[in-house]
Amino acid sequence: MARLISLVSRNERTAPDHDTDEGAAPHQTRIGRLDIEFTRPDRPFARNWERVSSVQDASYVLVCPLSGCVAFSQDGRIGIARPGEYVLLSELAFYELSSDKTTRMLMLRIPAAELRGRLVSVEDHVSRRFKPNEQMTRLLVDMIRSVSELFIDCPPPNPQALATEIISFVALAIGSEDRGAATDVRNARYHLRRRIVDFIESHLSDQSLSPKKIAASSRISLSYLYSLFNDNETTVNQFVQTKRLQRAYEILVADPKGHRTVSEVAYEVGFKNVSHFSRCFSRHFKVAPRDVRQTHNASPRPKTDSRHAPAKNVAAPRIAPSSRLGTPWDADERRPLHETV
């Protein structure tokens, strides 16, 4: 059985263990802006992660045990994940992982801003507050494992496009969790956010879509609307822009022969300026809008995201589990009043 342990901070780490068995070391596959790590059995595994201060530099970590079990701890919640389950952890707060030497697992690191753009209530799902959907979990784990094995030696034709599809499916699987099993989540607040997201998605083409109009659609105040999105350290306008970029991506991929121009797509999803759309799209997906249609052809070379490196395996002393650490605020994302979409 896995034992939950605390680890020394990264600043206190010593030199690597010379007794490490190279055959037991994890291997990694990079798919666009995603990192997939596959750990092998034969030695215990332990990892900690000190919280990242900015959501733009952080990731969510989806941990999927394939055999054995994994113990986890974050934000005061402690649990064990077994095969057929997963646990979502956030780099915006301290977390711990450990397992014994019989465990094999997959870990998928997803940029936090992208998963939040697809699932506004993602923080509700961190540290496994809800029961996962068994069928969706099976599909999710099989897909990640297949992608990791298939492209371990050679990249896919369009890694950024594949990464986008994987993130979308992860959001779909997480969104299918059974929220009825939880007692510590404000259901009314969740359903309100769901209605707001539905309204935004159905009005993306409206160039005048604004926080004021969104708040009016649900008969709530602007300040309350901002608080709903501040729960996930994002702003209303950032969320709307992410949804517009995702819709544009779907339209472009579904139109490989170019029946609609990039300009037409930009205006269709609510952007007022084509140049601004192209810059935002390229920055978000690491590929230009005109190149997304090449999904089945040779891929353009996306920029490598080197903002952070995966945490390393370290030996762990036996000390008491950490106390609860809250999610930090990003100062730049708490000022939505003067933003424009």
Side-chain angles (χ1 to χ4, degrees), residues 153-337:
D153 295 322
C154 60
N158 192 327
Q160 296 297 343
L162 179 58
T164 297
E165 300 302 332
I166 293 174
I167 296 171
S168 295
F169 193 84
V170 169
L172 184 65
I174 293 173
S176 70
E177 291 178 355
D178 181 10
R179 303 179 65 93
T183 58
D184 59 345
V185 175
R186 296 155 292 181
N187 289 325
R189 192 174 175 91
Y190 166 77
H191 290 300
L192 174 59
R193 286 188 296 195
R194 185 67 263 168
R195 290 198 305 271
I196 290 172
V197 171
D198 290 342
F199 177 82
I200 291 172
E201 291 180 335
S202 63
H203 291 80
L204 289 178
S205 60
D206 181 3
Q207 294 185 354
S208 64
L209 184 63
S210 64
K212 184 176 181 180
K213 184 177 291 188
I214 295 169
S217 72
S218 293
R219 297 183 176 86
I220 60 175
S221 67
L222 269 175
S223 60
Y224 188 54
L225 175 69
Y226 293 143
S227 73
L228 291 172
F229 284 83
N230 280 340
D231 283 351
N232 283 340
E233 291 188 31
T234 189
T235 66
V236 181
N237 288 328
Q238 288 168 345
F239 184 81
V240 170
Q241 178 169 286
T242 298
K243 284 293 183 183
R244 282 174 165 159
L245 293 173
Q246 291 166 3
R247 178 70 58 81
Y249 172 87
E250 294 169 357
I251 294 172
L252 290 168
V253 169
D255 182 29
K257 296 187 182 298
H259 296 301
R260 280 182 285 188
T261 67
V262 170
S263 298
E264 291 173 336
V265 173
Y267 295 132
E268 183 175 341
V269 299
F271 277 84
K272 302 175 183 178
N273 182 283
V274 178
S275 297
H276 177 60
F277 165 75
S278 296
R279 287 194 301 271
C280 293
F281 191 100
S282 299
R283 184 166 58 246
H284 188 84
F285 293 111
K286 307 298 188 296
V287 62
R290 63 179 179 276
D291 294 327
V292 171
R293 304 181 198 272
Q294 303 173 5
T295 302
H296 301 291
N297 300 323
S299 169
R301 294 182 178 273
K303 296 180 181 179
T304 301
D305 185 355
S306 57
R307 291 177 300 181
H308 50 262
K312 299 179 180 178
N313 295 349
V314 295
R318 292 186 63 180
I319 57 179
S322 61
S323 60
R324 177 171 180 170
L325 293 176
T327 302
W329 292 103
D330 186 305
D332 292 336
E333 296 195 18
R334 299 184 67 182
R335 301 170 185 162
L337 292 174

Side-chain angles (χ1 to χ4, degrees), residues 20-147:
T20 299
D21 178 6
E22 292 184 359
H27 74 250
Q28 294 180 332
T29 304
R30 185 156 182 88
I31 306 293
R33 53 210 183 272
L34 303 179
D35 290 309
I36 305 175
E37 184 174 345
F38 180 84
T39 65
R40 299 180 176 88
D42 300 335
R43 66 170 304 193
F45 173 89
R47 168 175 296 174
N48 80 331
W49 189 272
E50 296 174 1
R51 64 183 185 178
V52 176
S53 59
S54 171
V55 68
Q56 299 301 324
D57 297 325
S59 295
Y60 288 103
V61 182
L62 190 75
V63 182
C64 308
L66 304 178
S67 65
C69 58
V70 179
F72 63 89
S73 173
Q74 184 165 53
D75 279 345
R77 296 183 61 83
I78 296 175
I80 292 179
R82 298 177 173 81
E85 302 175 340
Y86 64 81
V87 59
L88 183 71
L89 301 172
S90 171
E91 291 183 356
L92 289 163
F94 180 88
Y95 74 75
E96 300 168 293
L97 281 174
S98 66
S99 67
D100 62 20
K101 64 181 181 180
T102 67
T103 299
R104 296 169 62 245
M105 61 181 165
L106 285 173
M107 289 179 286
L108 175 67
R109 298 180 73 247
I110 306 169
E114 294 211 37
L115 193 54
R116 290 182 172 203
R118 290 165 172 78
L119 195 65
V120 70
S121 59
V122 63
E123 285 298 321
D124 291 347
H125 300 267
V126 168
S127 220
R128 208 176 62 183
R129 287 185 173 90
F130 311 110
K131 181 179 179 181
N133 182 288
E134 294 182 6
Q135 290 80 9
M136 293 297 292
T137 299
R138 190 178 305 119
L139 284 173
L140 177 62
V141 174
D142 287 347
M143 178 191 68
I144 298 172
R145 178 165 52 183
S146 297
V147 168

